[in-house]
């Protein structure tokens, strides 16, 4: 055996020995302040999972180390604080959070830690499903030089997106809107009609009532069969809401690493940021921009950059952003828009006119559309954008009867085609718009002056 081989074997054994913990230091709860549990006596690391043993309870309460203050470790529970008191024994597990992944997850609805909700939301002591493996929740994004370039469009089945905002396999897009403008319905349309192999849906901070509505009405049984839904409702602790986004992303990474094209949908990034703000304030971070702590803006790219292409497969991400007062310049929206590869803006005025999906194509953009579509497609989409812009500019004059036909040829064409263009953009949530069909209708609208319909 060569000297190099001996050194390699020795290094492997040395790593295994260093990983062994012959004894564990147990801690004791000393104080509970707000969302944090202060524990003395631990020699732990950030992100380590600990179990807090509550008198009279069969199952311990799990918590995660989120910070330190002097010789005290700060834990945030992955469950309810109820019952925890000074003196409770705390045992570190010596590992960070993991999730059980495998083909068994398809068709499942799981909680923020990856346990199936159908089994009461906690199967950590149950049997291990066939083929399941432990997968780390916190993973680094793919190396920039290992990412494949995005050169193939993803058929979403939504005409407004395929025609005007074509999305590539591995692209990341934000869906920006206020409340009640149709974000969940649009996500359901993407799940139903998209040509991806697997759907992973993260519902972070969602209303409990809307979870079943989304699964049964928007998703449907056929789409659920090839989907994994991760749910952390608004009443869950802040750390559960945070980890739900990370768990869902880890599940999507698992399928991507096996060569799948994954559609990842997260609703919403805003509630994820609010959960991190709660955690940051609880451990003593100073509030900065509109009350958000610095860790919020440090965590956003770590989450969003994990989607995209890898040497094996791809994760195409759609992330909803709930903008306060329809203000697209608020801090979270501005930070997310700067990270992602495009944005889709849902307009409240369109929704008020019963125009769904309420996508404002003039405010929306796909940064990768020029790289993944044919020049003819780009020319047609650009022409229809110009017509929509011309109509919007002249709309007030038209409504008061001040516009004289023939004074502007572009406005004349926009007026003639406007209803046909809007009909193209409107789509029932159960209706599928094939990519080839959408492109043909787009070309017809761009090329036939004065068309009344398509």
């Amino acid at each position: 055996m060569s000297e190099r081989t001996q050194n390699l074997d020795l290094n492997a054994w040395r790593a295994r020995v260093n990983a062994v913990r012959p004894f564990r230091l147990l801690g004791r709860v000393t104080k509970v302040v707000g969302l944090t549990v202060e524990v003395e006596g631990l020699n732990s690391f950030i992100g380590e999972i600990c179990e807090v043993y509550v008198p009279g309870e069969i199952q311990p309460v799990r918590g995660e180390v989120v910070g330190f203050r002097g010789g005290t470790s700060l834990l945030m529970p992955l469950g309810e604080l109820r019952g925890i008191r000074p003196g409770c024994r705390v045992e570190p597990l010596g590992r960070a959070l993991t999730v059980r992944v495998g083909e068994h997850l398809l068709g499942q609805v799981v909680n923020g830690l990856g346990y199936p909700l159908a089994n009461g939301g906690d199967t950590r002591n149950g049997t291990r499903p066939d083929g399941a493996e432990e997968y780390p929740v916190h993973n680094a994004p793919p190396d920039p030089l290992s990412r494949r370039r995005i050169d193939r469009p993803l058929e979403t089945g939504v005409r407004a997106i395929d025609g005007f905002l074509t999305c590539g396999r591995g692209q990341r897009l934000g869906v920006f809107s206020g409340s009640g403008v149709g974000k969940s319905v649009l996500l359901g349309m993407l799940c139903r009609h998209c040509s991806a192999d697997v759907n992973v849906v993260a519902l972070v901070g969602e209303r409990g009532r809307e979870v079943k509505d989304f699964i049964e009405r928007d998703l449907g049984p056929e789409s659920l069969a090839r989907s994994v839904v991760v749910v952390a409702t608004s009443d869950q602790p802040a750390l559960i809401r945070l980890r739900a986004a990370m768990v869902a992303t880890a599940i999507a990474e698992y399928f991507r690493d096996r060569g799948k094209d994954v559609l990842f949908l997260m609703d919403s990034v805003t509630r994820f940021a609010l959960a991190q703000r709660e955690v940051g304030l609880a451990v003593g971070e100073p509030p900065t921009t509109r009350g958000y702590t610095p860790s919020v803006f440090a965590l956003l790219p770590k989450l969003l950059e994990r989607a995209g292409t890898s040497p094996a497969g791809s994760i195409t991400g759609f992330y909803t952003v709930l903008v306060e007062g329809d203000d697209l310049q608020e801090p979270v929206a501005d930070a997310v828009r700067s990270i992602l590869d495009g944005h889709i803006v849902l307009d409240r005025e369109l929704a008020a006119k019963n125009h769904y999906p309420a996508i404002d194509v003039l405010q929306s953009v796909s940064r990768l559309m020029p790289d993944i579509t044919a020049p003819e497609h780009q020319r047609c989409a650009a022409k229809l954008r110009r017509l929509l812009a011309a109509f919007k500019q002249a709309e007030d004059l038209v409504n008061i009867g001040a516009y004289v036909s023939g004074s502007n040829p572009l406005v004349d064409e926009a007026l003639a085609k406007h209803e046909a263009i809007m009909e193209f953009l409107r789509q029932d949530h159960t209706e599928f718009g094939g990519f080839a069909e959408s492109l043909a209708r787009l070309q017809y609208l761009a090329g036939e002056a004065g068309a009344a319909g398509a």
Side-chain angles (χ1 to χ4, degrees):
M1 183 181 293
S2 67
E3 182 178 348
R4 182 181 178 185
T5 304
Q6 289 178 339
N7 289 337
L8 289 175
D9 290 343
L10 185 60
N11 289 336
W13 280 106
R14 185 180 291 115
R16 294 179 66 180
V17 170
N18 290 337
V20 172
R21 302 179 70 174
F23 59 89
R24 293 178 180 174
L25 293 176
L26 300 181
R28 296 284 175 182
V29 173
T30 59
K31 189 187 298 185
V32 177
V33 180
L35 301 175
T36 60
V37 178
E38 298 188 8
V39 181
E40 289 185 350
L42 292 181
N43 182 22
S44 52
F45 56 87
I46 293 288
E48 183 172 9
I49 301 299
C50 301
E51 291 187 335
V52 181
Y53 290 87
V54 180
E57 297 291 336
I58 299 174
Q59 291 281 2
V61 177
R62 286 194 172 183
E64 183 176 319
V65 178
V66 295
F68 306 99
R69 186 177 294 127
T72 301
S73 299
L74 304 180
L75 270 65
M76 292 198 73
L78 297 167
E80 294 293 336
L81 281 168
R82 189 179 298 110
I84 297 178
R85 66 191 71 175
C88 286
R89 180 166 59 91
V90 180
E91 181 179 351
L93 300 185
R95 59 175 179 83
L97 189 65
T98 60
V99 60
R100 288 182 179 178
V101 294
E103 296 290 332
H104 71 279
L105 285 175
L106 294 176
Q108 291 275 359
V109 181
V110 301
N111 67 9
L113 301 180
Y115 301 126
L117 286 176
N119 295 328
D122 189 349
T123 60
R124 62 189 180 210
N125 294 322
T127 59
R128 185 189 185 93
D130 292 339
E133 59 181 274
E134 298 290 339
Y135 206 77
V137 168
H138 301 282
N139 297 302
D143 181 85
L145 295 182
S146 72
R147 291 179 184 262
R148 290 180 292 110
R149 289 194 63 187
I150 299 173
D151 54 8
R152 294 183 300 153
L154 179 73
E155 182 180 24
T156 65
V158 180
R159 287 193 296 267
I161 296 176
D162 289 341
F164 289 88
L165 308 163
T166 311
C167 176
R169 293 179 183 267
Q171 188 173 348
R172 300 158 306 154
L173 286 161
V175 180
F176 295 77
S177 83
S179 58
V181 189
K183 294 187 302 298
S184 297
V185 175
L186 178 58
L187 295 187
M189 292 177 68
L190 292 170
C191 280
R192 283 173 179 266
H193 307 317
C194 189
S195 60
D197 301 320
V198 176
N199 302 324
V200 179
V201 184
L203 302 179
V204 179
E206 192 61 85
R207 302 177 186 89
R209 174 190 62 80
E210 292 187 343
V211 172
K212 199 166 186 179
D213 287 347
F214 176 81
I215 292 170
E216 295 184 354
R217 181 193 62 200
D218 298 326
L219 196 57
E222 186 176 340
S223 297
L224 180 61
R226 60 187 178 96
S227 303
V228 184
V229 183
V230 181
V231 176
T233 52
S234 58
D235 61 304
Q236 294 290 306
L239 199 58
I240 292 285
R241 283 177 271 140
L242 271 179
R243 294 300 170 256
M246 298 298 186
V247 164
T249 304
I251 293 171
E253 289 170 329
Y254 166 79
F255 286 107
R256 178 183 63 185
D257 292 346
R258 276 141 189 82
K260 304 285 189 181
D261 286 322
V262 182
L263 176 66
F264 180 77
L265 307 173
M266 178 174 166
D267 185 15
S268 71
V269 174
T270 305
R271 295 187 179 114
F272 171 83
L274 290 172
Q276 178 58 33
R277 182 174 70 176
E278 288 184 45
V279 173
L281 292 174
V283 298
E285 274 192 271
T288 53
T289 310
R290 290 202 191 177
Y292 288 103
T293 58
S295 62
V296 172
F297 302 101
L299 191 60
L300 283 174
K302 292 181 179 179
L303 172 71
L304 301 176
E305 285 289 345
R306 288 171 63 178
T309 60
S310 74
S314 69
I315 299 174
T316 304
F318 285 82
Y319 299 86
T320 70
V321 181
L322 185 64
V323 292
E324 298 178 5
D326 295 339
D327 178 14
L328 295 175
Q329 308 307 320
E330 61 96 20
V332 172
D334 194 50
V336 171
R337 191 166 52 245
S338 69
I339 298 169
L340 298 178
D341 308 315
H343 52 273
I344 298 172
V345 177
L346 302 186
D347 183 67
R348 192 174 296 279
E349 289 187 12
L350 288 175
K353 297 174 183 177
N354 202 36
H355 177 113
Y356 291 103
I359 298 174
D360 185 343
V361 297
L362 294 180
Q363 292 194 69
S364 307
V365 66
S366 169
R367 295 178 183 172
L368 291 177
M369 183 175 175
D371 299 331
I372 58 177
T373 54
E376 184 180 6
H377 184 169
Q378 296 169 37
R379 286 196 303 270
C380 292
K383 180 175 181 180
L384 294 187
R385 278 179 178 271
R386 288 195 299 272
L387 294 178
L388 286 170
F391 179 88
K392 187 172 184 179
Q393 188 174 10
E395 187 174 13
D396 290 340
L397 292 175
V398 172
N399 288 338
I400 64 174
Y403 177 75
V404 178
S405 178
S407 58
N408 187 324
L410 185 63
V411 174
D412 290 342
E413 185 178 0
L415 291 174
K417 291 187 176 182
H418 182 71
E419 185 54 40
I421 296 172
M422 300 307 285
E423 181 63 28
F424 172 81
L425 295 174
R426 281 192 292 267
Q427 185 174 343
D428 187 81
H429 72 281
T430 60
E431 181 186 356
F432 170 73
F435 194 91
E437 177 193 353
S438 297
L439 182 55
R441 291 183 64 179
L442 195 75
Q443 292 170 340
Y444 175 78
L445 290 170
E448 293 289 332

